[in-house]
Amino acid sequence: MGSIRHLVLAKFKDEAAVEELLQGLQKLVSEIDVVKSFEWGEDVLKDERLGQGFTHAFLLTFGSAEDLATYIKHPSHVAFGKAFRAAIDKILAIDFPVVTNKISA
Amino acid sequence: MGSIRHLVLAKFKDEAAVEELLQGLQKLVSEIDVVKSFEWGEDVLKDERLGQGFTHAFLLTFGSAEDLATYIKHPSHVAFGKAFRAAIDKILAIDFPVVTNKISA
């Protein structure tokens, strides 16, 4: 069945408490059942042109568009979103139904 | 062990042969062994501000930074990259070692 991914790229402000925000995000996704999986990472390519300054990627997976909508409007997400947005210089988000063309063990 | 993700966002030109490029990409990743997994999707959020016009996400997974480097410099990838870049309005790419905080079945 079609999973949908919620992809967020962020560039944090210099003074942002990134560690705290990451912990908040981990707590958030652990508490909201519709989040099927959560992974994130810090850019290592560091190509200013290609990466446009984004330093972090966050990838959340949901079982359906409805589940994603449930997450987006969840009061805990709304509250976290406020703190998150206050800490970032810029953000990019897209949602996409996953088409998988290759999986190796 | 630490997988690394190669994330590419693209906005294709209006006249681009997107279907053909997607097939070319599927062929490419199927032929290059170091690509552990490949998935992609088309943005459904369609939020001009949040998505900055990017319409497609491509997510490739590698077992190590060395494998990713092998892919990047593979002659088939270099050749495909030329066709790909000619077909896009803009591109964004970042690479990140995956930190997984939640996985559900």
Side-chain angles (χ1 to χ4, degrees):
Chain A
M1 245 311 291
S3 290
I4 186 160
R5 299 244 201 241
H6 176 57
L7 169 71
V8 175
L9 302 184
K11 180 188 179 206
F12 290 102
K13 291 177 181 165
D14 287 342
E15 70 275 21
V18 176
E19 213 35 66
E20 246 171 66
L21 285 163
L22 291 173
Q23 284 170 20
L25 190 49
Q26 287 162 30
K27 186 164 177 290
L28 178 72
V29 301
S30 71
E31 287 172 359
I32 302 184
D33 280 347
V34 289
V35 181
K36 268 175 66 180
S37 76
F38 169 60
E39 62 170 64
W40 65 277
E42 214 170 329
D43 177 48
V44 293
L45 182 59
K46 295 182 191 298
D47 181 309
E48 190 58 41
R49 188 183 55 85
L50 275 175
Q52 296 178 19
F54 289 105
T55 55
H56 290 72
F58 303 95
L59 196 59
L60 287 81
T61 311
F62 298 86
S64 67
E66 291 69 31
D67 283 358
L68 170 54
T70 299
Y71 168 75
I72 295 294
K73 68 189 176 205
H74 191 290
S76 301
H77 174 259
V78 173
F80 179 80
K82 255 181 225 174
F84 192 81
R85 274 192 300 274
I88 54 172
D89 263 343
K90 57 180 193 168
I91 187 169
L92 187 159
I94 74 173
D95 299 334
F96 59 98
V98 184
V99 184
T100 303
N101 284 123
K102 184 174 183 178
I103 303 185
S104 309
Chain B
M1 244 309 290
S3 289
I4 186 160
R5 299 245 202 240
H6 176 57
L7 169 72
V8 175
L9 302 183
K11 180 187 179 206
F12 290 102
K13 291 176 181 166
D14 287 343
E15 70 275 20
V18 177
E19 214 34 66
E20 244 170 68
L21 285 163
L22 291 174
Q23 284 170 19
L25 190 49
Q26 286 163 30
K27 186 164 178 291
L28 178 72
V29 301
S30 72
E31 287 172 0
I32 302 184
D33 280 348
V34 290
V35 180
K36 269 174 67 178
S37 76
F38 169 60
E39 62 170 64
W40 65 278
E42 213 170 329
D43 177 47
V44 293
L45 182 59
K46 294 182 192 297
D47 182 309
E48 190 59 41
R49 188 182 52 85
L50 274 176
Q52 296 178 19
F54 289 105
T55 55
H56 290 71
F58 303 95
L59 196 59
L60 286 81
T61 312
F62 298 86
S64 66
E66 290 70 31
D67 283 357
L68 170 53
T70 299
Y71 168 75
I72 294 292
K73 68 187 176 204
H74 192 291
S76 301
H77 175 260
V78 173
F80 179 79
K82 256 180 224 175
F84 192 82
R85 275 192 299 276
I88 54 172
D89 263 343
K90 57 180 194 167
I91 188 168
L92 188 157
I94 73 173
D95 299 334
F96 59 98
V98 184
V99 184
T100 303
N101 285 123
K102 184 175 182 178
I103 303 185
S104 309

